[in-house]
Amino acid sequence: MFLDLFMRKTSMVCIDVGYRNIKVVEVSVKKNNNIFIENYGIVATPEDCIKNGAIYDVERVLRVIKTVIKEEGMKAKNAKIIMSGTNIITRIYMIDKAEGESEDFTIKNSMPNFLPVDIDNYRVDYKLLTTVRDKNQEKYKVFVTAVPRKILESYIEVLQGLDLKPLAVDIPANSTAKFFNRDIYTKDMDEYYSKRKHKNVQSDTYAVLDFGSETTIVNFLKDRVLEFNKVILSGSSNIDNHISNEMSITLQEAERIKKMYGMNPPNSLSKREHVIAYGKVNTFIERLVTQIVKCFEFYIERCYGSQISKIFIIGGGSQLNGLDQYLFSIFNVPVYPVGLLSLKGVELRKNLDREKLNYLINSVGISL
Ligand SMILES: Nc1ncnc2c1ncn2[C@@H]1O[C@H](COP(=O)(O)OP(=O)(O)OP(=O)(O)O)[C@@H](O)[C@H]1O
Ligand SMILES: [Mg+2]
């Protein structure tokens, strides 16, 4: 009985509605924040259901989610959902401290001056990261998120239609950060990197890159706290489009070719499809990584950030053949595909396929 009380768990269904796939995960969180994945299902998002980050067709999305819950025999009574990253604003601001005013008052009142949007249409939240002194002025360093109310409402509607107790709507940046707010053991892969020359950066600043279908999300965490987040509006499905156009084949066929060859270089005996895939995949990834490099530079130069010592990659697109090694060659720090790591405090029920874990980081992260 004592043990039971001590280890008591909260169970919930966590939902991540991506442009391509909806992930539904039944998670139990133990008191010590250990996670137990009871069950999960990954299904294709019905076509044209999300636009600009909002759920356009709530009914169809609900139907798909309910089917997964039923088919996988999920029994949890609570639910959380995660929004698409598109159109969410996340920024770091330095705000002057004002004598005689509360921190909350100063920060909230400064928002209309900082945020480049009509603030009445947004739900704004902030987190105070630190207070710094710049010359003679104390400043709050705050992490601000602003979500369009209209978009938020579409997710609330889904949550309310589930016949479960709605607990929260969260944004991907937060769920990723919550997931990575734990000891991540990289031992399994460190032997590999110990044999390769790389920068030895002594910092607790990590990058987590989410390679989705329509979006690529760049997160930087310093001492496990999120300090930077940017959603790049381009993702793995763009590669399918390029291959499909070039070869006049269906998107499904193009996707299959992308998955098969990835960034692997062809040789003189390779098929034409391999040569084309290689060209299209590499051009796309090089462009995408140029944008990611800009985020690294921006973070260091403009956000008072520190050098990144490790990169974790998540999302379906992170499985692209050769992507981790390409990133390693560009950034020169160890790159860890999360699906390959053994994560302390994250257990899966026996018989569940661990390989899919890289799809589930966000949905599992919101459970915390
Ligand atoms: N082995 C693989 N190699 C390359 N790409 C892959 C592989 N497996 C899956 N993908 C790609 O991963 C993408 C789907 O990933 P994911 O489910 O994380 O996207 P999503 O969350 O729906 O999208 P978004 O985050 O942009 O809303 C698809 O574009 C798919 O082609
Ligand atoms: Mg996603």
Side-chain angles (χ1 to χ4, degrees), residues 18-150:
Y19 275 93
R20 180 57 185 278
N21 293 308
I22 299 180
K23 298 83 169 172
V24 185
V25 192
E26 188 180 24
V27 187
S28 299
V29 184
K30 296 188 183 158
K31 277 222 162 143
N32 57 4
N33 257 359
N34 278 6
I35 294 168
F36 189 81
I37 301 178
E38 311 262 4
N39 247 317
Y40 70 77
I42 300 174
V43 283
T45 308
E47 240 168 78
D48 298 326
C49 274
I50 328 183
K51 283 191 186 134
N52 294 324
I55 297 185
Y56 243 60
D57 194 334
V58 172
E59 280 311 310
R60 271 161 77 209
V61 168
L62 264 174
R63 226 176 296 144
V64 172
I65 298 172
K66 283 181 176 169
T67 308
V68 179
I69 292 178
K70 199 165 159 209
E71 281 178 359
E72 299 298 330
M74 297 182 181
K75 304 217 166 42
K77 296 278 177 282
N78 308 303
K80 289 188 181 178
I81 197 164
I82 181 162
M83 302 178 61
S84 157
T86 330
N87 279 321
I88 298 176
I89 299 173
T90 54
R91 298 274 161 84
I92 293 237
Y93 293 123
M94 303 297 282
I95 297 170
D96 287 353
K97 186 171 180 174
E99 279 312 316
E101 270 180 24
S102 77
E103 165 193 306
D104 188 57
F105 185 84
T106 310
I107 295 173
K108 281 200 177 135
N109 275 310
S110 322
M111 283 309 134
N113 309 331
F114 280 97
L115 283 164
V117 290
D118 178 4
I119 207 160
D120 291 337
N121 296 331
Y122 281 73
R123 157 81 197 252
V124 180
D125 288 291
Y126 76 88
K127 183 173 186 172
L128 179 64
L129 297 174
T130 52
T131 310
V132 293
R133 185 170 277 281
D134 187 10
K135 294 185 187 114
N136 273 333
Q137 175 66 51
E138 280 215 76
K139 288 173 188 278
Y140 300 119
K141 183 177 177 182
V142 286
F143 185 81
V144 178
T145 57
V147 178
R149 288 189 190 277
K150 271 249 146 26

Side-chain angles (χ1 to χ4, degrees), residues 302-345:
R302 306 276 294 278
C303 304
Y304 307 81
S306 37
Q307 294 290 334
I308 307 291
S309 61
K310 289 175 187 165
I311 299 174
F312 296 99
I313 57 175
I314 63 174
S318 70
Q319 300 171 97
L320 186 78
N321 265 326
L323 178 65
D324 55 343
Q325 288 318 301
Y326 179 71
L327 292 170
F328 177 61
S329 74
I330 298 292
F331 294 102
N332 220 346
V333 293
V335 178
Y336 304 101
V338 165
L340 300 181
L341 298 172
S342 54
L343 298 164
K344 200 172 170 233

Side-chain angles (χ1 to χ4, degrees), residues 16-23 42 45 50 84 210-217 236-237 240 255 258-259 315-321 358-359:
D16 172 6
V17 185
Y19 275 93
R20 180 57 185 278
N21 293 308
I22 299 180
K23 298 83 169 172
I42 300 174
T45 308
I50 328 183
S84 157
D210 180 352
F211 291 91
S213 133
E214 310 288 317
T215 62
T216 303
I217 307 185
S236 192
S237 72
D240 311 348
E255 185 184 19
K258 167 188 76 178
K259 288 183 182 173
S318 70
Q319 300 171 97
L320 186 78
N321 265 326
N358 44 23
Y359 283 95

Side-chain angles (χ1 to χ4, degrees), residues 122-364:
Y122 281 73
R123 157 81 197 252
V124 180
D125 288 291
Y126 76 88
K127 183 173 186 172
L128 179 64
L129 297 174
T130 52
T131 310
V132 293
R133 185 170 277 281
D134 187 10
K135 294 185 187 114
N136 273 333
Q137 175 66 51
E138 280 215 76
K139 288 173 188 278
Y140 300 119
K141 183 177 177 182
V142 286
F143 185 81
V144 178
T145 57
V147 178
R149 288 189 190 277
K150 271 249 146 26
I151 295 186
L152 185 60
E153 280 158 18
S154 69
Y155 286 85
I156 293 175
E157 226 180 296
V158 170
L159 210 48
Q160 285 175 336
L162 278 177
D163 309 322
L164 298 172
K165 188 179 163 202
L167 293 184
V169 181
D170 213 334
I171 62 169
N174 278 337
S175 53
T176 309
K178 282 182 198 165
F179 185 89
F180 281 91
N181 190 5
R182 61 179 57 251
D183 291 327
I184 308 273
Y185 287 87
T186 52
K187 242 199 237 138
D188 318 14
M189 292 187 72
D190 281 342
E191 204 193 341
Y192 173 83
Y193 282 113
S194 69
K195 294 189 191 119
R196 279 160 185 78
K197 250 198 171 158
H198 60 79
K199 276 196 282 191
N200 205 350
V201 182
Q202 295 301 327
S203 85
D204 257 337
T205 309
Y206 308 151
V208 181
L209 309 178
D210 180 352
F211 291 91
S213 133
E214 310 288 317
T215 62
T216 303
I217 307 185
V218 181
N219 301 288
F220 298 137
L221 290 101
K222 183 185 164 68
D223 298 328
R224 302 185 188 188
V225 177
L226 186 70
E227 287 218 322
F228 177 94
N229 166 269
K230 181 169 167 73
V231 180
I232 298 171
L233 295 178
S234 139
S236 192
S237 72
N238 295 96
I239 304 177
D240 311 348
N241 291 327
H242 295 312
I243 297 177
S244 150
N245 287 342
E246 179 73 25
M247 296 180 68
S248 305
I249 52 175
T250 63
L251 286 171
Q252 287 79 2
E253 184 60 11
E255 185 184 19
R256 185 189 65 78
I257 290 175
K258 167 188 76 178
K259 288 183 182 173
M260 183 151 72
Y261 301 110
M263 303 186 81
N264 289 348
N267 58 34
S268 56
L269 299 174
S270 299
K271 286 193 202 161
R272 174 170 170 265
E273 64 177 32
H274 187 172
V275 178
I276 290 175
Y278 179 73
K280 294 296 172 196
V281 170
N282 280 270
T283 310
F284 174 81
I285 294 293
E286 276 165 26
R287 270 201 216 126
L288 182 63
V289 170
T290 307
Q291 294 188 65
I292 300 176
V293 168
K294 286 205 181 105
C295 293
F296 276 63
E297 290 166 356
F298 184 86
Y299 173 64
I300 305 276
E301 287 159 21
R302 306 276 294 278
C303 304
Y304 307 81
S306 37
Q307 294 290 334
I308 307 291
S309 61
K310 289 175 187 165
I311 299 174
F312 296 99
I313 57 175
I314 63 174
S318 70
Q319 300 171 97
L320 186 78
N321 265 326
L323 178 65
D324 55 343
Q325 288 318 301
Y326 179 71
L327 292 170
F328 177 61
S329 74
I330 298 292
F331 294 102
N332 220 346
V333 293
V335 178
Y336 304 101
V338 165
L340 300 181
L341 298 172
S342 54
L343 298 164
K344 200 172 170 233
V346 182
E347 276 177 69
L348 278 86
R349 212 188 53 200
K350 240 167 91 186
N351 306 333
L352 287 185
D353 182 2
R354 213 190 160 87
E355 255 181 44
K356 293 259 158 53
L357 197 59
N358 44 23
Y359 283 95
L360 307 179
I361 302 304
N362 286 327
S363 28
V364 169

